[in-house]
Structure formats: structure tokens, C-alpha cells
Amino acid sequence: MRRQVRIVGGGPTGLLSHLLHLKGIESVVLERRNREDLETRVKAGEIDYVTSSRAAAMNIAGAALG
């Protein structure tokens, strides 16, 4: 799998993948945990104002902020 950008970590930093996609840049998120673990476990203790504002602007706040 060849991509222009590799992002390590599927937490809040992984939201960068969506921003890149909106700009037409292919990326892949590398995460060591399996999908079930990611969907049922909180990774970030908090999400800062800028990240939550951007998630809301991209209409992904529900998924990002649970």
C-alpha cells in the first residue's frame, strides 16, 4: 500500500487523515490496536478546543467526541 502520508496513531492525531483527504492527499493511519479495542476504549484523556472545533466543522464531532 503506497500513500503520500503515514500517520502513526488512530487517536485525535488520526483526524489529520480526514483533513488530508479533503485536500486530495492520500494517507494511511497506522495503529497497533485492533478495531474493536479502538471503538470501545478511550485513548485521549481530553481533546483540546482547536481539535474539537475542527471536528465540529468537518461534521465528524459525534464520532470524534463520542
Side-chain angles (χ1 to χ4, degrees), residues 15 18-19 51-52 54-66:
L15 292 174
H18 185 71
L19 292 172
T51 302
S52 62
R54 289 186 179 156
M58 293 185 300
N59 293 321
I60 59 169
L65 304 176

Side-chain angles (χ1 to χ4, degrees), residues 18-42:
H18 185 71
L19 292 172
L20 293 171
H21 173 74
L22 293 175
K23 297 291 185 180
I25 300 170
E26 292 185 37
S27 66
V28 62
V29 177
L30 306 174
E31 175 60 59
R32 66 180 174 175
R33 297 184 173 136
N34 64 35
R35 184 178 191 98
E36 181 182 352
D37 190 35
L38 287 172
E39 291 177 347
T40 59
R41 187 172 176 183
V42 175

